Amino acid sequence: MSTPSAHPPGDDKSQGETGALSLPLLLAYALPAIPLAALTLPLYVLVPTYYTEALGLPLAGVGFALLVVRLFDAISDPAMGWIGDRARTRFGRRRTLFALGIPLVALSAFMLFAPPPDASLFWLTGWGLLLSLGYTIMLVPYSAWGAELAGDYHQRSRIAGWREGLILLGTLGAIALPYTIGFDDPTVWNGLAILGAAIALLLPLFGSVTLALVPEPRDFTRRKLELRDGLKAIAANKPFIRLLAAFFLNGLATGIPATLFLYFVSDRLGMPEARGLFLFIYFLCGVGGTAIALLAARRSSKHRAWSVAMILACVAFAPAPLLPEGAWYGFLAICVVTGLLLGFDLALPPSIQADVIDVDTAESGEQRSGLYFALWSLTTKLALALAVGMAFPLLSLAGFDPQGQTTANGLLALAIAYGWLPIVAKLAAIALMWNFPLDEAEQKSLRDRITSA
């Protein structure tokens, strides 16, 4: 069995196997999530809007460019996961790649968020590809690092909860900056450009704190698998395949309204001045929802708590297309409820993902958290990209034009795509997760097999 370069104090097991992780350790691990927050949902909400509305690029072209970026991830994500699991350095296999990705993400994020006024689709695609590569180099080992810090069913939820909670706090800043300062004029130092500069400064700073204070987790690998055998083992991991399918469907259900949020508020509800406020309230409620999700998971199970949250989200989204123009309080209520439920979407699936990796580790003898989270990351990106690549062209065909005269059919298509299309995907995800086979007792049995081997 290989040994780690470093691990938390205690016996031969990681601290998370035998007790609660300390609050300073959780905070040190989660800090980079704040600048990384602008590279998750805000990237798909703000950047497409800015490049189409402020820079005047075609709607379908922007959607296609972002789809190309995500298709690139189909190669880079699994490759980086495989490399990360096989890398052996004195600095640690998770820490090394995480450190290498920081400068690339910092530079490309700034260039993408602060484009020149004459930026083209080539600029969007080029810097988008570099940002995607750097983000993969960072995020895959970062996620695997967190999953391996603890072996306990509920401790994993704490780690994911802290990380995703700080992502939501960072998201609040990512929303507040552009809307407070404004980002409709590409000829000045606008709010989106300042956000890019903040990422470029804070990511190296917070990443250095993580590298200095968070140890490399223990590697429980007993043997190495050839690539073909490893892929067969992943395909045989039925809980993982089931979770991945549900996560993709729910990611699509989240990505469609996230992509169309600004257009829905501006064009369908006729309240463009309230876009920033609604987004801020939505993500603010998500912070509280993360804490509620952890409590709910303790009272039942992770998969059942997540399923109930998705059911409630379907109920909350159902009235959205029926709202009349100017329905300020009605849409505010939807933002509050769905924001609280967002905390479940963010905190619980990554924790379940750490559990399904145990299935593979116990059966195959190789701990391949990097490859698993690479596939997880790829699924996330593809779901969001498909949301953009599917929604934008369909709305364009239906007559929706954010820069011109939108037809009545275009507004109707926007409302249906925003409110009802996500419900179909969520219902399918619920069907997959409601009776998920991996609970706390089964996960504990898997950990006993892994740690005693």
Side-chain angles (χ1 to χ4, degrees):
M1 181 186 298
S2 60
T3 57
S5 58
H7 55 80
D11 56 14
D12 64 334
K13 297 179 181 180
S14 108
Q15 185 177 355
E17 292 289 344
T18 57
L21 295 169
S22 68
L23 185 59
L25 182 62
L26 286 171
L27 183 59
Y29 168 74
L31 270 177
I34 295 176
L36 286 174
L39 306 178
T40 53
L41 287 180
L43 177 63
Y44 289 89
V45 173
L46 299 178
V47 168
T49 305
Y50 182 74
Y51 275 77
T52 55
E53 291 186 355
L55 299 182
L57 297 182
L59 187 67
V62 170
F64 181 75
L66 294 178
L67 183 59
V68 168
V69 170
R70 293 311 168 220
L71 290 176
F72 170 73
D73 290 331
I75 299 173
S76 65
D77 276 34
M80 196 53 57
W82 187 84
I83 292 171
D85 287 337
R86 294 302 177 101
R88 290 294 180 271
T89 71
R90 296 185 63 183
F91 195 54
R93 60 177 182 167
R94 305 305 179 204
R95 294 151 55 88
T96 299
L97 288 178
F98 177 80
L100 290 175
I102 290 175
L104 182 56
V105 172
L107 173 63
S108 53
F110 175 73
M111 300 302 285
L112 189 66
F113 280 50
D118 60 347
S120 63
L121 288 174
F122 179 78
W123 179 283
L124 172 62
T125 305
W127 286 111
L129 288 171
L130 288 176
L131 177 59
S132 179
L133 176 61
Y135 189 65
T136 297
I137 294 173
M138 276 194 69
L139 186 66
V140 169
Y142 183 56
S143 301
W145 194 355
E148 293 169 352
L149 280 176
D152 179 75
Y153 184 80
H154 293 297
Q155 287 300 310
R156 286 172 167 171
S157 295
R158 287 185 70 216
I159 295 171
W162 270 88
R163 182 183 62 229
E164 302 304 325
L166 289 193
I167 281 180
L168 289 170
L169 288 177
T171 301
L172 292 177
I175 296 299
L177 264 178
Y179 281 101
T180 300
I181 300 173
F183 67 110
D184 55 350
D185 187 354
T187 63
V188 301
W189 191 250
N190 60 59
L192 196 61
I194 294 175
L195 177 59
I199 297 169
L201 292 174
L202 292 179
L203 188 59
L205 175 62
F206 291 164
S208 297
V209 172
T210 303
L211 291 168
L213 299 181
V214 182
E216 183 79 8
R218 179 178 176 179
D219 183 4
F220 286 95
T221 295
R222 303 190 307 274
R223 65 189 181 102
K224 294 292 185 182
L225 299 177
E226 296 296 329
L227 181 59
R228 178 177 295 181
D229 293 334
L231 293 176
K232 287 181 179 178
I234 291 175
N237 189 342
K238 293 182 179 179
F240 170 68
I241 300 299
R242 187 167 169 176
L243 175 64
L244 198 68
F247 187 74
F248 175 81
L249 290 165
N250 189 63
L252 186 61
T254 302
I256 291 173
T259 301
L260 302 179
F261 184 95
L262 301 182
Y263 299 121
F264 182 80
V265 177
S266 296
D267 297 89
R268 176 65 177 82
L269 298 181
M271 299 184 292
E273 72 286 348
R275 297 189 304 181
L277 177 62
F278 283 139
L279 271 178
F280 191 87
I281 292 173
Y282 173 74
F283 287 112
L284 180 62
C285 290
V287 177
T290 301
I292 297 173
L294 299 184
L295 292 175
R298 278 194 171 274
R299 293 181 64 89
S300 57
S301 63
K302 301 174 192 176
H303 65 271
R304 190 58 60 83
W306 184 32
S307 297
V308 171
M310 287 191 285
I311 292 173
L312 295 176
C314 291
V315 175
F317 262 110
L322 305 176
L323 292 175
E325 185 174 339
W328 203 94
Y329 291 105
F331 191 67
L332 175 64
I334 292 175
C335 289
V336 170
V337 174
T338 56
L340 289 171
L341 298 172
L342 174 67
F344 288 74
D345 283 340
L346 295 178
L348 298 184
S351 181
I352 303 173
Q353 169 77 335
D355 297 338
V356 301
I357 294 172
D358 287 341
V359 176
D360 181 83
T361 305
E363 293 295 329
S364 72
E366 183 176 6
Q367 184 171 297
R368 298 180 295 164
S369 304
L371 181 56
Y372 270 87
F373 272 99
L375 296 175
W376 183 259
S377 175
L378 175 61
T379 301
T380 303
K381 295 172 183 177
L382 287 178
L384 290 172
L386 182 59
V388 176
M390 179 176 65
F392 279 8
L394 287 176
L395 288 179
S396 181
L397 288 174
F400 177 73
D401 183 0
Q403 293 183 310
Q405 186 66 35
T406 298
T407 65
N409 285 338
L411 290 177
L412 178 61
L414 173 63
I416 292 174
Y418 178 83
W420 289 344
L421 191 57
I423 293 177
V424 178
K426 275 191 178 289
L427 289 175
I430 294 164
L432 288 169
M433 292 305 300
W434 186 258
N435 290 318
F436 193 70
L438 193 55
D439 58 11
E440 183 176 3
E442 178 64 22
Q443 189 271 336
K444 185 179 185 302
S445 175
L446 290 170
R447 291 305 301 180
D448 289 341
R449 288 175 57 190
I450 292 169
T451 57
S452 63

mmCIF file with all atom_site columns, all heavy atoms in Angstrom, residues 31-36 102 106 170 177 194-209:
data_model
loop_
_atom_site.group_PDB
_atom_site.id
_atom_site.type_symbol
_atom_site.label_atom_id
_atom_site.label_alt_id
_atom_site.label_comp_id
_atom_site.label_asym_id
_atom_site.label_entity_id
_atom_site.label_seq_id
_atom_site.pdbx_PDB_ins_code
_atom_site.Cartn_x
_atom_site.Cartn_y
_atom_site.Cartn_z
_atom_site.occupancy
_atom_site.B_iso_or_equiv
_atom_site.pdbx_formal_charge
_atom_site.auth_seq_id
_atom_site.auth_comp_id
_atom_site.auth_asym_id
_atom_site.auth_atom_id
_atom_site.pdbx_PDB_model_num
ATOM 1   N N   . LEU A 1 31  ? -11.217 27.854 1.478   1.00 0.00 ? 31  LEU A N   1
ATOM 2   C CA  . LEU A 1 31  ? -10.980 29.249 1.078   1.00 0.00 ? 31  LEU A CA  1
ATOM 3   C C   . LEU A 1 31  ? -10.892 29.472 -0.434  1.00 0.00 ? 31  LEU A C   1
ATOM 4   O O   . LEU A 1 31  ? -11.470 30.441 -0.946  1.00 0.00 ? 31  LEU A O   1
ATOM 5   C CB  . LEU A 1 31  ? -9.707  29.780 1.751   1.00 0.00 ? 31  LEU A CB  1
ATOM 6   C CG  . LEU A 1 31  ? -9.875  30.444 3.108   1.00 0.00 ? 31  LEU A CG  1
ATOM 7   C CD1 . LEU A 1 31  ? -8.508  30.854 3.666   1.00 0.00 ? 31  LEU A CD1 1
ATOM 8   C CD2 . LEU A 1 31  ? -10.794 31.658 3.009   1.00 0.00 ? 31  LEU A CD2 1
ATOM 9   N N   . PRO A 1 32  ? -10.169 28.642 -1.208  1.00 0.00 ? 32  PRO A N   1
ATOM 10  C CA  . PRO A 1 32  ? -10.101 28.902 -2.656  1.00 0.00 ? 32  PRO A CA  1
ATOM 11  C C   . PRO A 1 32  ? -11.457 28.861 -3.346  1.00 0.00 ? 32  PRO A C   1
ATOM 12  O O   . PRO A 1 32  ? -11.582 29.343 -4.479  1.00 0.00 ? 32  PRO A O   1
ATOM 13  C CB  . PRO A 1 32  ? -9.188  27.775 -3.171  1.00 0.00 ? 32  PRO A CB  1
ATOM 14  C CG  . PRO A 1 32  ? -8.404  27.348 -1.997  1.00 0.00 ? 32  PRO A CG  1
ATOM 15  C CD  . PRO A 1 32  ? -9.318  27.513 -0.823  1.00 0.00 ? 32  PRO A CD  1
ATOM 16  N N   . ALA A 1 33  ? -12.453 28.296 -2.685  1.00 0.00 ? 33  ALA A N   1
ATOM 17  C CA  . ALA A 1 33  ? -13.787 28.239 -3.291  1.00 0.00 ? 33  ALA A CA  1
ATOM 18  C C   . ALA A 1 33  ? -14.358 29.633 -3.515  1.00 0.00 ? 33  ALA A C   1
ATOM 19  O O   . ALA A 1 33  ? -15.208 29.817 -4.389  1.00 0.00 ? 33  ALA A O   1
ATOM 20  C CB  . ALA A 1 33  ? -14.733 27.422 -2.408  1.00 0.00 ? 33  ALA A CB  1
ATOM 21  N N   . ILE A 1 34  ? -13.896 30.624 -2.757  1.00 0.00 ? 34  ILE A N   1
ATOM 22  C CA  . ILE A 1 34  ? -14.439 31.979 -2.905  1.00 0.00 ? 34  ILE A CA  1
ATOM 23  C C   . ILE A 1 34  ? -14.109 32.556 -4.287  1.00 0.00 ? 34  ILE A C   1
ATOM 24  O O   . ILE A 1 34  ? -15.017 32.943 -5.024  1.00 0.00 ? 34  ILE A O   1
ATOM 25  C CB  . ILE A 1 34  ? -13.933 32.891 -1.768  1.00 0.00 ? 34  ILE A CB  1
ATOM 26  C CG1 . ILE A 1 34  ? -14.480 32.397 -0.429  1.00 0.00 ? 34  ILE A CG1 1
ATOM 27  C CG2 . ILE A 1 34  ? -14.358 34.340 -2.012  1.00 0.00 ? 34  ILE A CG2 1
ATOM 28  C CD1 . ILE A 1 34  ? -13.964 33.180 0.767   1.00 0.00 ? 34  ILE A CD1 1
ATOM 29  N N   . PRO A 1 35  ? -12.830 32.623 -4.690  1.00 0.00 ? 35  PRO A N   1
ATOM 30  C CA  . PRO A 1 35  ? -12.574 33.110 -6.063  1.00 0.00 ? 35  PRO A CA  1
ATOM 31  C C   . PRO A 1 35  ? -13.016 32.134 -7.141  1.00 0.00 ? 35  PRO A C   1
ATOM 32  O O   . PRO A 1 35  ? -13.384 32.553 -8.247  1.00 0.00 ? 35  PRO A O   1
ATOM 33  C CB  . PRO A 1 35  ? -11.045 33.318 -6.088  1.00 0.00 ? 35  PRO A CB  1
ATOM 34  C CG  . PRO A 1 35  ? -10.513 32.456 -4.996  1.00 0.00 ? 35  PRO A CG  1
ATOM 35  C CD  . PRO A 1 35  ? -11.571 32.441 -3.945  1.00 0.00 ? 35  PRO A CD  1
ATOM 36  N N   . LEU A 1 36  ? -12.992 30.825 -6.853  1.00 0.00 ? 36  LEU A N   1
ATOM 37  C CA  . LEU A 1 36  ? -13.447 29.853 -7.846  1.00 0.00 ? 36  LEU A CA  1
ATOM 38  C C   . LEU A 1 36  ? -14.940 29.971 -8.114  1.00 0.00 ? 36  LEU A C   1
ATOM 39  O O   . LEU A 1 36  ? -15.431 29.484 -9.134  1.00 0.00 ? 36  LEU A O   1
ATOM 40  C CB  . LEU A 1 36  ? -13.120 28.425 -7.377  1.00 0.00 ? 36  LEU A CB  1
ATOM 41  C CG  . LEU A 1 36  ? -11.652 27.997 -7.456  1.00 0.00 ? 36  LEU A CG  1
ATOM 42  C CD1 . LEU A 1 36  ? -11.465 26.633 -6.824  1.00 0.00 ? 36  LEU A CD1 1
ATOM 43  C CD2 . LEU A 1 36  ? -11.151 27.988 -8.897  1.00 0.00 ? 36  LEU A CD2 1
ATOM 44  N N   . ILE A 1 102 ? -3.182  27.127 -10.564 1.00 0.00 ? 102 ILE A N   1
ATOM 45  C CA  . ILE A 1 102 ? -3.536  28.455 -10.055 1.00 0.00 ? 102 ILE A CA  1
ATOM 46  C C   . ILE A 1 102 ? -3.171  29.587 -11.018 1.00 0.00 ? 102 ILE A C   1
ATOM 47  O O   . ILE A 1 102 ? -4.016  30.428 -11.339 1.00 0.00 ? 102 ILE A O   1
ATOM 48  C CB  . ILE A 1 102 ? -2.912  28.678 -8.665  1.00 0.00 ? 102 ILE A CB  1
ATOM 49  C CG1 . ILE A 1 102 ? -3.598  27.791 -7.633  1.00 0.00 ? 102 ILE A CG1 1
ATOM 50  C CG2 . ILE A 1 102 ? -3.018  30.148 -8.246  1.00 0.00 ? 102 ILE A CG2 1
ATOM 51  C CD1 . ILE A 1 102 ? -2.967  27.846 -6.246  1.00 0.00 ? 102 ILE A CD1 1
ATOM 52  N N   . ALA A 1 106 ? -5.887  32.108 -12.983 1.00 0.00 ? 106 ALA A N   1
ATOM 53  C CA  . ALA A 1 106 ? -5.880  33.529 -12.648 1.00 0.00 ? 106 ALA A CA  1
ATOM 54  C C   . ALA A 1 106 ? -5.766  34.393 -13.907 1.00 0.00 ? 106 ALA A C   1
ATOM 55  O O   . ALA A 1 106 ? -6.509  35.372 -14.080 1.00 0.00 ? 106 ALA A O   1
ATOM 56  C CB  . ALA A 1 106 ? -4.737  33.837 -11.686 1.00 0.00 ? 106 ALA A CB  1
ATOM 57  N N   . GLY A 1 170 ? -18.752 33.486 -2.299  1.00 0.00 ? 170 GLY A N   1
ATOM 58  C CA  . GLY A 1 170 ? -18.013 34.079 -3.409  1.00 0.00 ? 170 GLY A CA  1
ATOM 59  C C   . GLY A 1 170 ? -18.918 34.468 -4.552  1.00 0.00 ? 170 GLY A C   1
ATOM 60  O O   . GLY A 1 170 ? -18.697 35.480 -5.229  1.00 0.00 ? 170 GLY A O   1
ATOM 61  N N   . LEU A 1 177 ? -20.533 42.686 -7.529  1.00 0.00 ? 177 LEU A N   1
ATOM 62  C CA  . LEU A 1 177 ? -19.576 43.582 -8.194  1.00 0.00 ? 177 LEU A CA  1
ATOM 63  C C   . LEU A 1 177 ? -20.081 44.072 -9.551  1.00 0.00 ? 177 LEU A C   1
ATOM 64  O O   . LEU A 1 177 ? -20.158 45.288 -9.784  1.00 0.00 ? 177 LEU A O   1
ATOM 65  C CB  . LEU A 1 177 ? -18.230 42.863 -8.359  1.00 0.00 ? 177 LEU A CB  1
ATOM 66  C CG  . LEU A 1 177 ? -17.167 43.122 -7.295  1.00 0.00 ? 177 LEU A CG  1
ATOM 67  C CD1 . LEU A 1 177 ? -15.916 42.305 -7.582  1.00 0.00 ? 177 LEU A CD1 1
ATOM 68  C CD2 . LEU A 1 177 ? -16.816 44.602 -7.238  1.00 0.00 ? 177 LEU A CD2 1
ATOM 69  N N   . ILE A 1 194 ? -13.474 44.146 -13.113 1.00 0.00 ? 194 ILE A N   1
ATOM 70  C CA  . ILE A 1 194 ? -12.987 44.178 -11.733 1.00 0.00 ? 194 ILE A CA  1
ATOM 71  C C   . ILE A 1 194 ? -13.128 42.806 -11.093 1.00 0.00 ? 194 ILE A C   1
ATOM 72  O O   . ILE A 1 194 ? -12.261 42.368 -10.315 1.00 0.00 ? 194 ILE A O   1
ATOM 73  C CB  . ILE A 1 194 ? -13.755 45.246 -10.926 1.00 0.00 ? 194 ILE A CB  1
ATOM 74  C CG1 . ILE A 1 194 ? -13.423 46.636 -11.467 1.00 0.00 ? 194 ILE A CG1 1
ATOM 75  C CG2 . ILE A 1 194 ? -13.428 45.157 -9.440  1.00 0.00 ? 194 ILE A CG2 1
ATOM 76  C CD1 . ILE A 1 194 ? -14.212 47.755 -10.817 1.00 0.00 ? 194 ILE A CD1 1
ATOM 77  N N   . LEU A 1 195 ? -14.197 42.105 -11.423 1.00 0.00 ? 195 LEU A N   1
ATOM 78  C CA  . LEU A 1 195 ? -14.368 40.746 -10.923 1.00 0.00 ? 195 LEU A CA  1
ATOM 79  C C   . LEU A 1 195 ? -13.233 39.850 -11.422 1.00 0.00 ? 195 LEU A C   1
ATOM 80  O O   . LEU A 1 195 ? -12.679 39.043 -10.655 1.00 0.00 ? 195 LEU A O   1
ATOM 81  C CB  . LEU A 1 195 ? -15.717 40.190 -11.375 1.00 0.00 ? 195 LEU A CB  1
ATOM 82  C CG  . LEU A 1 195 ? -16.021 38.742 -10.993 1.00 0.00 ? 195 LEU A CG  1
ATOM 83  C CD1 . LEU A 1 195 ? -15.995 38.562 -9.485  1.00 0.00 ? 195 LEU A CD1 1
ATOM 84  C CD2 . LEU A 1 195 ? -17.372 38.312 -11.561 1.00 0.00 ? 195 LEU A CD2 1
ATOM 85  N N   . GLY A 1 196 ? -12.855 39.976 -12.685 1.00 0.00 ? 196 GLY A N   1
ATOM 86  C CA  . GLY A 1 196 ? -11.731 39.205 -13.208 1.00 0.00 ? 196 GLY A CA  1
ATOM 87  C C   . GLY A 1 196 ? -10.437 39.515 -12.488 1.00 0.00 ? 196 GLY A C   1
ATOM 88  O O   . GLY A 1 196 ? -9.638  38.624 -12.193 1.00 0.00 ? 196 GLY A O   1
ATOM 89  N N   . ALA A 1 197 ? -10.228 40.808 -12.172 1.00 0.00 ? 197 ALA A N   1
ATOM 90  C CA  . ALA A 1 197 ? -9.022  41.199 -11.435 1.00 0.00 ? 197 ALA A CA  1
ATOM 91  C C   . ALA A 1 197 ? -9.040  40.625 -10.025 1.00 0.00 ? 197 ALA A C   1
ATOM 92  O O   . ALA A 1 197 ? -8.002  40.199 -9.490  1.00 0.00 ? 197 ALA A O   1
ATOM 93  C CB  . ALA A 1 197 ? -8.920  42.722 -11.389 1.00 0.00 ? 197 ALA A CB  1
ATOM 94  N N   . ALA A 1 198 ? -10.212 40.581 -9.393  1.00 0.00 ? 198 ALA A N   1
ATOM 95  C CA  . ALA A 1 198 ? -10.326 40.027 -8.044  1.00 0.00 ? 198 ALA A CA  1
ATOM 96  C C   . ALA A 1 198 ? -9.981  38.540 -8.039  1.00 0.00 ? 198 ALA A C   1
ATOM 97  O O   . ALA A 1 198 ? -9.303  38.048 -7.123  1.00 0.00 ? 198 ALA A O   1
ATOM 98  C CB  . ALA A 1 198 ? -11.739 40.252 -7.510  1.00 0.00 ? 198 ALA A CB  1
ATOM 99  N N   . ILE A 1 199 ? -10.436 37.822 -9.066  1.00 0.00 ? 199 ILE A N   1
ATOM 100 C CA  . ILE A 1 199 ? -10.088 36.403 -9.172  1.00 0.00 ? 199 ILE A CA  1
ATOM 101 C C   . ILE A 1 199 ? -8.581  36.237 -9.307  1.00 0.00 ? 199 ILE A C   1
ATOM 102 O O   . ILE A 1 199 ? -7.968  35.384 -8.659  1.00 0.00 ? 199 ILE A O   1
ATOM 103 C CB  . ILE A 1 199 ? -10.809 35.761 -10.372 1.00 0.00 ? 199 ILE A CB  1
ATOM 104 C CG1 . ILE A 1 199 ? -12.325 35.805 -10.184 1.00 0.00 ? 199 ILE A CG1 1
ATOM 105 C CG2 . ILE A 1 199 ? -10.348 34.317 -10.575 1.00 0.00 ? 199 ILE A CG2 1
ATOM 106 C CD1 . ILE A 1 199 ? -13.098 35.433 -11.429 1.00 0.00 ? 199 ILE A CD1 1
ATOM 107 N N   . ALA A 1 200 ? -7.979  37.052 -10.165 1.00 0.00 ? 200 ALA A N   1
ATOM 108 C CA  . ALA A 1 200 ? -6.544  36.954 -10.416 1.00 0.00 ? 200 ALA A CA  1
ATOM 109 C C   . ALA A 1 200 ? -5.716  37.226 -9.161  1.00 0.00 ? 200 ALA A C   1
ATOM 110 O O   . ALA A 1 200 ? -4.604  36.698 -9.018  1.00 0.00 ? 200 ALA A O   1
ATOM 111 C CB  . ALA A 1 200 ? -6.145  37.923 -11.527 1.00 0.00 ? 200 ALA A CB  1
ATOM 112 N N   . LEU A 1 201 ? -6.223  38.038 -8.240  1.00 0.00 ? 201 LEU A N   1
ATOM 113 C CA  . LEU A 1 201 ? -5.499  38.352 -7.006  1.00 0.00 ? 201 LEU A CA  1
ATOM 114 C C   . LEU A 1 201 ? -5.806  37.362 -5.880  1.00 0.00 ? 201 LEU A C   1
ATOM 115 O O   . LEU A 1 201 ? -4.898  36.915 -5.166  1.00 0.00 ? 201 LEU A O   1
ATOM 116 C CB  . LEU A 1 201 ? -5.836  39.771 -6.550  1.00 0.00 ? 201 LEU A CB  1
ATOM 117 C CG  . LEU A 1 201 ? -5.332  40.914 -7.431  1.00 0.00 ? 201 LEU A CG  1
ATOM 118 C CD1 . LEU A 1 201 ? -5.878  42.250 -6.936  1.00 0.00 ? 201 LEU A CD1 1
ATOM 119 C CD2 . LEU A 1 201 ? -3.807  40.941 -7.452  1.00 0.00 ? 201 LEU A CD2 1
ATOM 120 N N   . LEU A 1 202 ? -7.079  37.034 -5.697  1.00 0.00 ? 202 LEU A N   1
ATOM 121 C CA  . LEU A 1 202 ? -7.474  36.235 -4.546  1.00 0.00 ? 202 LEU A CA  1
ATOM 122 C C   . LEU A 1 202 ? -7.156  34.751 -4.708  1.00 0.00 ? 202 LEU A C   1
ATOM 123 O O   . LEU A 1 202 ? -6.860  34.065 -3.720  1.00 0.00 ? 202 LEU A O   1
ATOM 124 C CB  . LEU A 1 202 ? -8.975  36.401 -4.283  1.00 0.00 ? 202 LEU A CB  1
ATOM 125 C CG  . LEU A 1 202 ? -9.426  37.773 -3.801  1.00 0.00 ? 202 LEU A CG  1
ATOM 126 C CD1 . LEU A 1 202 ? -10.940 37.806 -3.609  1.00 0.00 ? 202 LEU A CD1 1
ATOM 127 C CD2 . LEU A 1 202 ? -8.733  38.139 -2.491  1.00 0.00 ? 202 LEU A CD2 1
ATOM 128 N N   . LEU A 1 203 ? -7.215  34.240 -5.932  1.00 0.00 ? 203 LEU A N   1
ATOM 129 C CA  . LEU A 1 203 ? -6.973  32.817 -6.119  1.00 0.00 ? 203 LEU A CA  1
ATOM 130 C C   . LEU A 1 203 ? -5.561  32.409 -5.705  1.00 0.00 ? 203 LEU A C   1
ATOM 131 O O   . LEU A 1 203 ? -5.398  31.434 -4.958  1.00 0.00 ? 203 LEU A O   1
ATOM 132 C CB  . LEU A 1 203 ? -7.263  32.426 -7.572  1.00 0.00 ? 203 LEU A CB  1
ATOM 133 C CG  . LEU A 1 203 ? -7.226  30.931 -7.868  1.00 0.00 ? 203 LEU A CG  1
ATOM 134 C CD1 . LEU A 1 203 ? -8.243  30.177 -7.014  1.00 0.00 ? 203 LEU A CD1 1
ATOM 135 C CD2 . LEU A 1 203 ? -7.492  30.671 -9.347  1.00 0.00 ? 203 LEU A CD2 1
ATOM 136 N N   . PRO A 1 204 ? -4.504  33.121 -6.133  1.00 0.00 ? 204 PRO A N   1
ATOM 137 C CA  . PRO A 1 204 ? -3.167  32.762 -5.643  1.00 0.00 ? 204 PRO A CA  1
ATOM 138 C C   . PRO A 1 204 ? -3.022  32.927 -4.131  1.00 0.00 ? 204 PRO A C   1
ATOM 139 O O   . PRO A 1 204 ? -2.358  32.120 -3.477  1.00 0.00 ? 204 PRO A O   1
ATOM 140 C CB  . PRO A 1 204 ? -2.246  33.728 -6.400  1.00 0.00 ? 204 PRO A CB  1
ATOM 141 C CG  . PRO A 1 204 ? -3.018  34.113 -7.609  1.00 0.00 ? 204 PRO A CG  1
ATOM 142 C CD  . PRO A 1 204 ? -4.441  34.162 -7.172  1.00 0.00 ? 204 PRO A CD  1
ATOM 143 N N   . LEU A 1 205 ? -3.654  33.965 -3.565  1.00 0.00 ? 205 LEU A N   1
ATOM 144 C CA  . LEU A 1 205 ? -3.551  34.201 -2.125  1.00 0.00 ? 205 LEU A CA  1
ATOM 145 C C   . LEU A 1 205 ? -4.200  33.076 -1.330  1.00 0.00 ? 205 LEU A C   1
ATOM 146 O O   . LEU A 1 205 ? -3.577  32.463 -0.447  1.00 0.00 ? 205 LEU A O   1
ATOM 147 C CB  . LEU A 1 205 ? -4.200  35.541 -1.782  1.00 0.00 ? 205 LEU A CB  1
ATOM 148 C CG  . LEU A 1 205 ? -4.273  35.893 -0.285  1.00 0.00 ? 205 LEU A CG  1
ATOM 149 C CD1 . LEU A 1 205 ? -2.875  36.008 0.290   1.00 0.00 ? 205 LEU A CD1 1
ATOM 150 C CD2 . LEU A 1 205 ? -5.055  37.187 -0.083  1.00 0.00 ? 205 LEU A CD2 1
ATOM 151 N N   . PHE A 1 206 ? -5.470  32.783 -1.616  1.00 0.00 ? 206 PHE A N   1
ATOM 152 C CA  . PHE A 1 206 ? -6.179  31.753 -0.858  1.00 0.00 ? 206 PHE A CA  1
ATOM 153 C C   . PHE A 1 206 ? -5.646  30.354 -1.171  1.00 0.00 ? 206 PHE A C   1
ATOM 154 O O   . PHE A 1 206 ? -5.622  29.475 -0.301  1.00 0.00 ? 206 PHE A O   1
ATOM 155 C CB  . PHE A 1 206 ? -7.674  31.820 -1.154  1.00 0.00 ? 206 PHE A CB  1
ATOM 156 C CG  . PHE A 1 206 ? -8.348  33.044 -0.599  1.00 0.00 ? 206 PHE A CG  1
ATOM 157 C CD1 . PHE A 1 206 ? -9.594  33.436 -1.046  1.00 0.00 ? 206 PHE A CD1 1
ATOM 158 C CD2 . PHE A 1 206 ? -7.732  33.820 0.371   1.00 0.00 ? 206 PHE A CD2 1
ATOM 159 C CE1 . PHE A 1 206 ? -10.228 34.563 -0.533  1.00 0.00 ? 206 PHE A CE1 1
ATOM 160 C CE2 . PHE A 1 206 ? -8.347  34.948 0.888   1.00 0.00 ? 206 PHE A CE2 1
ATOM 161 C CZ  . PHE A 1 206 ? -9.598  35.317 0.432   1.00 0.00 ? 206 PHE A CZ  1
ATOM 162 N N   . GLY A 1 207 ? -5.229  30.149 -2.423  1.00 0.00 ? 207 GLY A N   1
ATOM 163 C CA  . GLY A 1 207 ? -4.647  28.860 -2.772  1.00 0.00 ? 207 GLY A CA  1
ATOM 164 C C   . GLY A 1 207 ? -3.367  28.584 -1.998  1.00 0.00 ? 207 GLY A C   1
ATOM 165 O O   . GLY A 1 207 ? -3.105  27.436 -1.600  1.00 0.00 ? 207 GLY A O   1
ATOM 166 N N   . SER A 1 208 ? -2.594  29.625 -1.741  1.00 0.00 ? 208 SER A N   1
ATOM 167 C CA  . SER A 1 208 ? -1.363  29.460 -0.964  1.00 0.00 ? 208 SER A CA  1
ATOM 168 C C   . SER A 1 208 ? -1.666  29.058 0.473   1.00 0.00 ? 208 SER A C   1
ATOM 169 O O   . SER A 1 208 ? -0.942  28.252 1.074   1.00 0.00 ? 208 SER A O   1
ATOM 170 C CB  . SER A 1 208 ? -0.559  30.769 -0.984  1.00 0.00 ? 208 SER A CB  1
ATOM 171 O OG  . SER A 1 208 ? -0.165  31.095 -2.304  1.00 0.00 ? 208 SER A OG  1
ATOM 172 N N   . VAL A 1 209 ? -2.746  29.612 1.032   1.00 0.00 ? 209 VAL A N   1
ATOM 173 C CA  . VAL A 1 209 ? -3.156  29.233 2.391   1.00 0.00 ? 209 VAL A CA  1
ATOM 174 C C   . VAL A 1 209 ? -3.511  27.740 2.430   1.00 0.00 ? 209 VAL A C   1
ATOM 175 O O   . VAL A 1 209 ? -3.106  27.012 3.344   1.00 0.00 ? 209 VAL A O   1
ATOM 176 C CB  . VAL A 1 209 ? -4.357  30.088 2.850   1.00 0.00 ? 209 VAL A CB  1
ATOM 177 C CG1 . VAL A 1 209 ? -4.909  29.569 4.177   1.00 0.00 ? 209 VAL A CG1 1
ATOM 178 C CG2 . VAL A 1 209 ? -3.946  31.552 2.984   1.00 0.00 ? 209 VAL A CG2 1
#
